[in-house]
Amino acid sequence: MSASPDTVTPQGAARRPFEIRVVSGLVLGFGGLVAVAVLAVLALGIWSASNNTLDLLRDKSQSVLAQLSARVEMLELPAESQLRHIGRQIELGRIDVESPEFGQVLGGALSATPEVRSLVFIHADGRMLRALRQPDGFELAVIDTRAMPVIFGAMRDAETRDGLFWGEVVRVETSTQVLVNGRYPMRVGGKYLGLLAVTVQIDQLSRLLD
């Protein structure tokens, strides 16, 4: 029995939907791969650019910090040298911290270091002898630091330290000046005499950054 013409489907017509699906799949597949490749290249480019930028910023920051450190050291070295020299003379007994001439020694030392604002010696009992730079020379003053907890506390804390060290940045109570100070605990024959200190204004450091 022969098939009816109405029920026979040509082979080409039967394959056409399948072929369309295959072509569509290939287009989508290759298109997706191309899109993924483009995105990967774009992401790689962004990542590489970000890393290069970070490396440049890191190198620049390290360079600036190195320059700042070197310049700060240039400012601190004269003050340190002065502090060590006076301190050594005290330790050797060549300078008497109880002598009436001690204030003149501190004041005279200021003339050799224009970056230094003041030289002070805080006795173990809280008396502070201060030589403060002035436009026409220096001013001497004796101050009781027992009513000044920051300064008195720094002197007592230094009793547990050895050698010269730099303290924290402090603000002067009677002005807007901000100072950094070097500290040198003084001992003679194992006895703690007090704290020799030098102060440098922060604006001196700021000018080095210009």
Side-chain angles (χ1 to χ4, degrees), residues 76 122 148-158 161 164-173 177-183 195 197-202 205:
E76 290 180 345
I122 309 172
M148 306 169 71
V150 173
I151 296 177
F152 187 77
M155 183 273 295
R156 299 311 308 177
D157 175 70
R161 306 285 292 268
L164 189 152
F165 64 97
W166 285 89
E168 67 277 5
V169 175
V170 297
R171 181 177 295 276
V172 181
E173 297 178 358
Q177 294 176 335
V178 179
L179 310 173
V180 61
N181 57 84
R183 306 173 186 181
L195 178 64
V198 60
T199 58
V200 180
Q201 287 185 220
I202 291 297
L205 297 176

Side-chain angles (χ1 to χ4, degrees), residues 41-184:
V41 171
L42 180 61
L44 181 61
I46 295 174
W47 176 80
S48 178
S50 299
N51 280 351
N52 290 338
T53 301
L54 290 175
D55 289 341
L56 290 174
L57 290 175
R58 188 181 300 110
D59 292 343
K60 181 65 175 179
S61 299
Q62 292 175 348
S63 176
V64 170
L65 289 175
Q67 293 180 24
L68 176 59
S69 178
R71 293 186 178 186
V72 169
E73 185 176 356
M74 289 175 59
L75 179 61
E76 290 180 345
L77 277 177
E80 284 190 9
S81 298
Q82 185 179 71
L83 208 58
R84 292 185 190 280
H85 174 72
I86 298 175
R88 185 59 178 162
Q89 299 303 306
I90 294 173
E91 291 171 339
L92 293 174
R94 297 172 182 171
I95 295 178
D96 183 2
V97 297
E98 297 292 349
S99 169
E101 288 78 30
F102 185 39
Q104 295 299 320
V105 172
L106 296 179
L110 290 176
S111 61
T113 49
E115 63 275 1
V116 171
R117 176 181 181 270
S118 66
L119 274 166
V120 304
F121 186 82
I122 309 172
H123 294 264
D125 61 7
R127 289 174 295 129
M128 180 173 72
L129 176 62
R130 183 188 68 187
L132 178 65
R133 184 180 301 280
Q134 297 292 343
D136 56 349
F138 62 89
E139 175 187 79
L140 290 177
V142 178
I143 303 169
D144 186 355
T145 64
R146 290 175 297 179
M148 306 169 71
V150 173
I151 296 177
F152 187 77
M155 183 273 295
R156 299 311 308 177
D157 175 70
E159 188 173 3
T160 64
R161 306 285 292 268
D162 290 314
L164 189 152
F165 64 97
W166 285 89
E168 67 277 5
V169 175
V170 297
R171 181 177 295 276
V172 181
E173 297 178 358
T174 57
S175 73
T176 60
Q177 294 176 335
V178 179
L179 310 173
V180 61
N181 57 84
R183 306 173 186 181
Y184 196 169

